Amino acid sequence: MPEPKPRTSIFTSPFWGTLLYTLPAVALIALAYVFANYRVRHALGLLWLGYGIPLIIIGVLAGLLLLLALITVARSMRLTDPPPPSRAWSCLPFLAGIVLAGFVTMAFLFGHRPVSDLSDPDRLTNLQSAKLESDTETESSKDWPQWRGPRRDGISRETGLNLDWKATPPRVLWEKPVSGGYSSPSVADGRVYVTDRDGKNERVLCFDAETGEELWVYSYPNDYGNLEYGAGPRATPTVHDGRVYTLGATGTFLCLEATPADRQPKVLWRHDLMDELDTEPPRWGVASSPLIEKDLVIVMPGGPNGCVTAFDRVSGKLVWKALGDVGGYSSPIACTAAGARQIICLTGEALHALKPEDGSVLWSYPWVTTFEGNIATPIVAGNYVFISSSYNKGCALLEIFNDGGKFRAEPVYVRANKLMRNHHSTCVLVDGYLYGFDVNTNNNTAFLRCVDFRRGEERWADRSLTKGSLIFADGCLLIQTEDGQLVVVEATPEGFRTRGEMKVFDSFQTWATPALVHGRLYVRDGKRLRCLDLRPPAKGP
């Protein structure tokens, strides 16, 4: 009787076996790349943040498939004698090794290295007596015409406000409906400007600052596609010299007449930045608030063909493009530091200083964050720049040097994943102390902290508030939390002390920063714009 033929399978063929194991492994690695949003550095950040279980699974499966492909090749070349063990218990060491190899491979292929703690004793010594006043060359204004106020520092110079809310809560003067958006209100020349998204249209709205009367609305279609957090625009309008500049979440850059005589909005010029720069918006949308610098208006759309772009503010003509960084979510700020005028820009990859005339780079400092999550605006004080990011990044204080026209920025101190990790809001610097929200994005916990700017040390911390945005006025912090609470906290390094609070919105993504003008506080969420009266109560006869 003839002997039965041995059972065959395509897996016993070296070519087909190797191919059938390798192709799924490659597909899994490609899936990891997609999961990391086509940014190789995202994957390690996902693992580091505890969100990376899918990447771990993908890495293990890809590693196993590649091991099986290697075994198939080895068998075909008679390199395995005896063949690999077939009992399950004998495979446990292999499995443990593959788990580790898969994790490490994904981490090194897709990851980036976190920063390390640093303190330079000589620079810290010099900092103790350094001048911290910032020359922004911004004219004094009682309005709030742009992101974080006239100097982009989140500080109001108004005094004599009613901030004892435990005794006298503020009145709501008026309220108007708006639609979704995270942008903050701007106030100039008796008018309030906000942006939102109504249905599939982005809008620019103008209200009378005293009465809340709607003066005009400009609406334009805008397809958000797969944009995450699609409620509405992020960037705050900038009002300057009779014009209002707005930047939508997908890069629609508008210049409109601020006070049209017939209340009919008039577009003076427009740019669709994503199309013109041949790039895509960041995963969370374009968030850079326009910056006026003399005859220029500067924005940060991100991308390889002009991460930072400057236009003639009157004609709208492109003047220069700079950098090829991945876009972040921060806004630029202009200052004079180390004897030179500079545009400070925190992109998704680094902190840069650009020459205003042509966009050339004066100096750079790498600051890579998971998801390109650099959101907070840099804080400039004298020749120092403070930056802060969440997503397990931390904060750093840099000193700017000018060596005969050659600029550099060196770290005074770096606090890795500690002290101050700004998420969607920015600190304020008052009398040598930073006040802001340190946010742990692993578990979404937040501490309101007071930090000694000159020493890089905590003075106090409180976690009774949910994270939010804040400004400084008349000795106090005015804080709008993301769940719609408005809180007054004394700005003192001596400890956390509140002066009162009130509920202004029933929402969970109230990320806009308040604006304060003439004793009126303007706040918004995704449904309403409100004006609160912070003027002291009128005294009786």
Side-chain angles (χ1 to χ4, degrees), residues 254-268:
L254 300 176
C255 173
L256 300 103
E257 193 172 294
T259 56
D262 54 1
R263 293 194 178 186
Q264 295 298 315
K266 180 180 179 181
V267 178
L268 301 176

Side-chain angles (χ1 to χ4, degrees), residues 46 116 120 134 146 154 156 204 230 243 266 275 304 335 347 363 378 396 405 430 445 448 453 480 489 514 522 532:
L46 290 167
S116 300
D120 187 288
S134 178
Q146 61 176 332
S156 169
V204 184
R243 298 176 177 225
K266 180 180 179 181
D275 291 337
C335 69
T347 71
W363 56 264
V430 180
T445 58
L448 178 65
F453 183 84
Q480 180 174 282
V489 176
Y522 301 88
L532 282 69

Side-chain angles (χ1 to χ4, degrees), residues 189-251:
D189 301 322
R191 302 187 176 210
V192 184
Y193 301 88
V194 296
T195 58
D196 70 5
R197 189 185 188 211
D198 185 28
K200 293 186 178 181
N201 287 1
E202 283 188 335
R203 302 190 302 173
V204 184
L205 302 95
C206 177
F207 300 90
D208 185 283
E210 185 172 349
T211 66
E213 178 189 2
E214 184 178 281
L215 301 178
W216 56 262
V217 178
Y218 179 72
S219 178
Y220 57 96
N222 200 320
D223 182 9
Y224 277 26
N226 296 322
L227 199 69
E228 298 181 23
Y229 298 97
R234 291 90 161 113
T236 297
T238 297
V239 188
H240 181 80
D241 197 19
R243 298 176 177 225
V244 55
Y245 302 86
T246 65
L247 183 59
T250 60

Side-chain angles (χ1 to χ4, degrees), residues 190-521:
R191 302 187 176 210
V192 184
Y193 301 88
V194 296
T195 58
D196 70 5
R197 189 185 188 211
D198 185 28
K200 293 186 178 181
N201 287 1
E202 283 188 335
R203 302 190 302 173
V204 184
L205 302 95
C206 177
F207 300 90
D208 185 283
E210 185 172 349
T211 66
E213 178 189 2
E214 184 178 281
L215 301 178
W216 56 262
V217 178
Y218 179 72
S219 178
Y220 57 96
N222 200 320
D223 182 9
Y224 277 26
N226 296 322
L227 199 69
E228 298 181 23
Y229 298 97
R234 291 90 161 113
T236 297
T238 297
V239 188
H240 181 80
D241 197 19
R243 298 176 177 225
V244 55
Y245 302 86
T246 65
L247 183 59
T250 60
T252 302
F253 187 23
L254 300 176
C255 173
L256 300 103
E257 193 172 294
T259 56
D262 54 1
R263 293 194 178 186
Q264 295 298 315
K266 180 180 179 181
V267 178
L268 301 176
W269 50 260
R270 167 176 175 159
H271 288 281
D272 294 298
L273 297 179
M274 298 300 103
D275 291 337
E276 295 176 19
L277 299 175
D278 191 23
T279 189
E280 297 291 330
R283 64 187 296 163
W284 297 328
V286 179
S288 161
S289 299
L291 169 69
I292 299 295
E293 171 64 10
K294 296 184 179 178
D295 292 333
L296 301 178
V297 55
I298 301 169
V299 290
M300 295 170 53
N305 302 316
C307 179
V308 183
T309 55
F311 299 86
D312 184 286
R313 63 179 178 83
V314 176
S315 68
K317 181 181 178 181
L318 178 66
V319 177
W320 52 256
K321 299 185 295 183
L323 306 175
D325 291 12
V326 174
Y329 307 92
S330 178
S331 293
I333 184 168
C335 69
T336 300
R341 193 67 176 163
Q342 308 180 22
I343 306 298
I344 307 296
C345 306
L346 181 59
T347 71
E349 301 181 29
L351 179 69
H352 302 279
L354 307 180
K355 192 174 180 179
E357 291 79 7
D358 57 12
S360 57
V361 177
L362 295 174
W363 56 264
S364 298
Y365 183 81
W367 193 255
V368 176
T369 305
T370 305
F371 309 120
E372 285 81 46
N374 294 328
I375 304 173
T377 300
I379 294 176
V380 180
N383 293 334
Y384 297 89
V385 182
F386 178 84
I387 53 176
S388 175
S389 302
S390 193
Y391 301 103
N392 291 328
K393 188 64 177 183
C395 60
L397 179 67
L398 309 177
E399 183 176 3
I400 305 171
F401 295 91
N402 183 349
D403 302 323
K406 294 183 178 180
F407 293 84
R408 56 188 173 90
E410 300 291 347
V412 179
Y413 57 77
V414 177
R415 301 293 182 256
N417 195 26
K418 65 180 70 168
L419 191 64
M420 189 62 75
R421 295 163 292 182
N422 289 155
H423 191 201
H424 61 72
S425 66
T426 304
C427 295
V428 292
L429 176 62
V430 180
D431 297 330
Y433 294 94
L434 287 162
Y435 300 89
F437 281 96
D438 172 38
V439 181
N440 182 346
T441 46
N442 291 355
N443 51 24
N444 204 35
T445 58
F447 287 84
L448 178 65
R449 293 193 192 274
C450 172
V451 173
D452 188 324
F453 183 84
R454 294 183 187 270
R455 299 183 182 277
E457 298 173 353
E458 176 188 303
R459 289 300 301 265
W460 55 258
D462 179 85
R463 63 173 302 179
S464 63
L465 305 178
T466 58
K467 67 184 178 183
S469 301
L470 72 164
I471 63 173
F472 170 84
D474 201 8
C476 290
L477 308 173
L478 298 174
I479 302 171
Q480 180 174 282
T481 66
E482 69 175 356
D483 58 0
Q485 201 77 8
L486 200 58
V487 187
V488 180
V489 176
E490 292 183 14
T492 171
E494 302 304 317
F496 175 79
R497 296 196 289 263
T498 65
R499 288 193 180 180
E501 59 184 76
M502 67 179 293
K503 188 75 170 177
V504 287
F505 300 118
D506 293 315
S507 57
F508 65 96
Q509 287 185 351
T510 306
W511 294 344
T513 299
L516 178 61
V517 176
H518 303 312
R520 296 182 177 89
L521 188 70

Side-chain angles (χ1 to χ4, degrees), residues 45-100:
L46 290 167
L47 296 171
W48 188 261
L49 290 170
Y51 304 146
I53 298 302
L55 287 178
I56 295 174
I57 296 173
I58 290 172
V60 170
L61 292 177
L64 285 171
L65 288 169
L66 291 174
L67 178 64
L68 291 172
L70 181 62
I71 291 173
T72 302
V73 173
R75 279 178 168 170
S76 70
M77 300 177 66
R78 301 181 181 275
L79 296 179
T80 56
D81 188 19
S86 58
R87 296 179 184 273
W89 61 266
S90 63
C91 293
L92 290 179
F94 274 108
L95 292 177
I98 291 304
V99 170
L100 179 61

Side-chain angles (χ1 to χ4, degrees), residues 14-29 62 65-66 68-70 73:
F15 175 78
W16 288 109
T18 303
L19 186 65
L20 290 175
Y21 288 132
T22 303
L23 285 180
V26 173
L28 287 170
I29 294 173
L65 288 169
L66 291 174
L68 291 172
L70 181 62
V73 173

